[in-house]
Amino acid sequence: MPRPFQSSRFAAAFAASASVFAFSLVASPAVAQEKTLRIAMTAADIPRTLGQPDQGFEGNRFTGIPMYDALTQWDLSKADAPSVLIPGLATSWAVDAKDKTKWVFKLRPGVKFHDGSAFNADAVVWNVQKVLDKSSKHFDASQVGVTASRMPTLRSARKIDDMTVELTTSEPDAFLPINLSNLFMASPAHWEAKFKAVPASVTDNVERAKQAWVAFAADASGSGPFRMTRFVPRERLELAANKGYWDPKRVPKIDKVVMVPMPEANARTAALLSNQVDWIEAPAPDAMPTISQRGFKMYFNPQPHVWPWQLSFAEGSPWLDKRVRYAANLCVDRTGLLKLLGGMMGVPKGTVPPGHPWWGNPKFDIRYDPTEAKKLMAEAGYGPNKPLKVKVQISASGSGQMQPLPMNEFVQQSLKQCGFDVEFDVIEWNTLFTNWRRGAKDPTANGTNAINVSFSAMDPFFAMVRFTSLKTFPPVSNNWGYFGNEEIEKLITDARNTFDDKKRDEALAKLHARIVDEAPFVWIAHDVGPRAMSTKVKNVVQPRSWFIDIATMTMD
């Protein structure tokens, strides 16, 4: 099995970090008087700041939720219970009893964007149009991919009155309120000011809109608990507390937040230990004992987040044979992987764990059973003298990717004993995330037949539907592997058309069981979201969620 991170690599990263990051992160005396929280992200770049972040859900966590609000949001206030959906900029919502493609949302009064303009129904319509209406002046094609793929049934928005809006979907969709937690509301007035400031020499409206969005991203205006004060691409994002935030419980007590991209795990760890940052995502596993011994605090919690290989079902894929898919799932030594990661993972039995309302008792038992795996591979015509070649597109870092290089190398060696010859195509994280929407048939797949992109499993669409529906083939959403059949499609439709929570859970349990039995993934790990922080950071709630709320934290 692959060796763990070596201490020499960590030491080298520590030494390099001291010179590379000291200048940019050490606070001046004036800044030191402020309560400043410095965060090292796993992303290689600052997630987009214009309202719809990229960089996966790390973008939502660090530039979406702090700077913006959505109509609905996740309750991140509890560490001992799953996060649930709660009102955000909408105070209530209901589907039309006669036409379940229409939803009415009542909006929260008195909310102001950072530029001082009012949030209202016009702003909601405008924000829907920015990603769905190509005829709108402010339409931005660059925001469509990370938005429409997360709410593919949303079609339009209509103002009823200043505080009421109607949203229409292409089909009845009980998942819509959850999906809308990903549609962040940007200020129309602020964008309009940027549009008017585009030089008059630029006469093409599409180009003017593009330049306006670039200007908006550099000087953003949402309605969230923090507002942008400085933005340097690939280097840093600085936020200040929005003391006029609408939710008294989330008015920040931290004055300033500084976020820096730091994709290499050992470099992040070194930056924390040298007090250049106060918070790091995904610390190097072999450094966690040192982190604790040096007085820093580790936070982790089981969360609905899956680290898999998503398999291709395109013509010619080696994964078309179910015996091969089962064999791969049976040949991964997850207990060994757990040791490699210092205990910082959950061992999966599927996309959701046994006991979850969506579990459904699948027949296929995901476990470590190399004897059965070798038998299945032999039946499929493969073995030590005739290995099956598979190629997987992976990243070296990134949002939710945990420790992708050592983890994938471990899986590579684990599968070798069962007759798999695994090759990797290693690319940059945000490129991998973009390729995920393009699909296994796209040239960007580079001949791979599996892809390693972790995903959140908080809601039915994100956990199951987008990977298994015939309607979510690329570029609509994330069914990268073109997996699906009419039986699964019917199960999806049954769940989507069920507006009673208990009955919907029953429908989703049938769907989950069927997915596990078909095995369109190699389920490798569940993330527990490890992060390390200075003890100066207080009131930290690590929820059972991929997200975390900075707004309620304090600092000594």
Side-chain angles (χ1 to χ4, degrees):
M1 295 301 171
R3 63 189 183 280
F5 288 117
Q6 297 298 307
S7 57
S8 59
R9 290 176 59 198
F10 169 68
F14 186 98
S17 171
S19 60
V20 172
F21 298 109
F23 176 78
S24 63
L25 294 179
V26 172
S28 68
V31 172
Q33 295 176 14
E34 297 180 315
K35 293 178 180 178
T36 301
L37 174 63
R38 302 161 300 170
I39 303 173
M41 303 178 292
T42 66
D45 196 1
I46 300 296
R48 298 187 82 195
T49 56
L50 75 180
Q52 298 306 128
D54 62 351
Q55 301 289 346
F57 267 2
E58 191 161 26
N60 283 29
R61 184 164 63 223
F62 288 130
T63 67
I65 293 171
M67 295 170 58
Y68 293 91
D69 292 306
L71 295 177
T72 59
Q73 63 188 29
W74 294 99
D75 181 359
L76 304 176
S77 65
K78 300 178 181 67
D80 57 356
S83 293
V84 296
L85 198 71
I86 59 174
L89 292 178
T91 57
S92 64
W93 51 90
V95 68
D96 189 308
K98 295 181 179 178
D99 182 354
K100 288 186 167 53
T101 65
K102 297 187 184 303
W103 292 78
V104 173
F105 286 75
K106 294 290 184 181
L107 306 182
R108 189 176 300 278
V111 175
K112 299 286 187 183
F113 288 107
H114 298 154
D115 60 291
S117 62
F119 168 75
N120 52 30
D122 290 323
V124 176
V125 173
W126 188 92
N127 276 277
V128 171
Q129 289 174 336
K130 75 183 179 186
V131 291
L132 292 183
D133 186 355
K134 294 181 180 180
S135 67
S136 294
K137 179 175 72 173
H138 60 287
F139 175 76
D140 185 14
S142 75
Q143 297 185 57
V144 173
V146 293
T147 310
S149 63
R150 294 172 174 175
M151 52 198 77
T153 65
L154 180 61
R155 289 295 176 265
S156 64
R158 180 177 69 87
K159 175 182 177 181
I160 295 176
D161 59 43
D162 280 351
M163 289 290 109
T164 312
V165 67
E166 179 187 80
L167 300 185
T168 301
T169 58
S170 58
E171 61 181 283
D173 187 0
F175 309 152
L176 181 71
I178 303 174
N179 299 159
L180 289 172
S181 65
N182 300 286
L183 180 61
F184 294 106
M185 298 291 153
S187 167
H190 194 63
W191 183 90
E192 187 64 31
K194 300 299 183 187
F195 184 82
K196 289 178 180 177
V198 175
S201 57
V202 181
T203 57
D204 179 69
N205 276 341
V206 173
E207 180 59 28
R208 288 182 68 86
K210 187 181 297 185
Q211 292 191 24
W213 278 115
V214 171
F216 187 99
D219 177 31
S221 179
S223 63
F226 292 93
R227 56 182 177 83
M228 176 192 288
T229 56
R230 187 182 178 205
F231 172 52
V232 183
R234 303 194 76 84
E235 183 180 320
R236 65 196 291 130
L237 172 67
E238 296 182 8
L239 307 178
N242 174 16
K243 295 299 185 180
Y245 187 60
W246 56 265
D247 184 353
K249 297 189 299 295
R250 296 186 66 223
V251 174
K253 294 180 176 63
I254 294 174
D255 300 307
K256 181 178 179 181
V257 178
V258 179
M259 300 178 191
V260 292
M262 208 175 289
E264 212 283 314
N266 287 323
R268 288 194 300 276
T269 301
L272 180 73
L273 294 178
S274 57
N275 293 308
Q276 296 173 52
V277 296
D278 308 297
W279 164 346
I280 64 171
E281 297 286 279
D286 67 328
M288 285 190 283
T290 301
I291 289 172
S292 297
Q293 291 163 11
R294 293 278 295 273
F296 297 91
K297 187 167 182 180
M298 289 291 307
Y299 292 90
F300 54 93
N301 206 349
Q303 59 184 224
H305 203 265
V306 185
W307 197 94
W309 285 0
Q310 185 177 355
L311 309 177
S312 171
F313 288 74
E315 184 179 357
S317 171
W319 303 107
L320 290 172
D321 191 327
K322 187 187 287 189
R323 294 170 297 186
V324 170
R325 305 198 298 274
Y326 276 21
N329 274 288
L330 294 171
C331 202
V332 176
D333 179 10
R334 296 171 184 84
T335 301
L337 187 60
L338 181 69
K339 293 178 182 177
L340 173 70
L341 295 176
M344 292 295 167
M345 67 166 266
V347 176
K349 285 285 189 179
T351 297
V352 299
H356 191 284
W358 307 339
W359 169 242
N361 296 316
K363 296 175 183 176
F364 177 47
D365 179 23
I366 298 171
R367 62 195 188 279
Y368 183 47
D369 190 343
T371 301
E372 178 64 17
K374 291 173 185 176
K375 178 182 175 183
L376 288 167
M377 288 294 282
E379 290 176 5
Y382 303 103
N385 298 322
K386 187 185 176 184
L388 175 62
K389 294 183 180 294
V390 297
K391 187 177 180 181
V392 189
Q393 196 163 79
I394 69 173
S395 67
S397 65
S399 167
Q401 294 295 89
M402 301 175 70
Q403 307 293 339
L405 291 181
M407 288 175 71
N408 274 300
E409 289 168 359
F410 184 97
V411 175
Q412 179 186 48
Q413 292 301 313
S414 196
L415 293 181
K416 187 175 182 180
Q417 65 178 317
C418 298
F420 288 90
D421 181 4
V422 179
E423 178 186 355
F424 294 124
D425 177 31
V426 185
I427 61 176
E428 190 270 331
W429 159 240
N430 211 41
T431 303
L432 181 75
F433 193 76
T434 300
N435 291 358
W436 195 33
R437 295 192 301 271
R438 291 175 173 166
K441 298 177 183 179
D442 191 81
T444 57
N446 293 339
T448 59
N449 43 59
I451 191 168
N452 171 222
V453 179
S454 65
F455 64 87
S456 171
M458 292 184 297
D459 71 77
F461 178 76
F462 274 70
M464 295 182 278
V465 174
R466 59 179 172 154
F467 306 120
T468 60
S469 174
L470 302 173
K471 299 176 182 178
T472 56
F473 286 173
V476 175
S477 195
N478 300 113
N479 195 343
W480 179 89
Y482 297 87
F483 169 78
N485 55 55
E486 292 300 331
E487 180 186 353
I488 285 180
E489 198 65 38
K490 183 181 183 306
L491 293 172
I492 291 170
T493 300
D494 289 346
R496 204 169 225 157
N497 284 269
T498 302
F499 291 81
D500 176 83
D501 290 348
K502 184 178 180 181
K503 291 181 180 178
R504 184 167 61 249
D505 283 348
E506 292 171 358
L508 290 167
K510 293 178 183 177
L511 175 61
H512 180 259
R514 195 74 191 92
I515 291 170
V516 173
D517 288 341
E518 286 295 322
F521 297 100
V522 180
W523 286 272
I524 296 169
H526 287 314
D527 199 357
V528 297
R531 47 178 58 96
M533 296 191 199
S534 164
T535 54
K536 294 186 299 182
V537 188
K538 305 292 186 183
N539 293 321
V540 177
V541 176
Q542 173 99 355
R544 293 184 186 175
S545 169
W546 171 241
F547 304 121
I548 191 169
D549 193 0
I550 303 171
T552 55
M553 298 179 190
T554 59
M555 291 191 73
D556 284 344

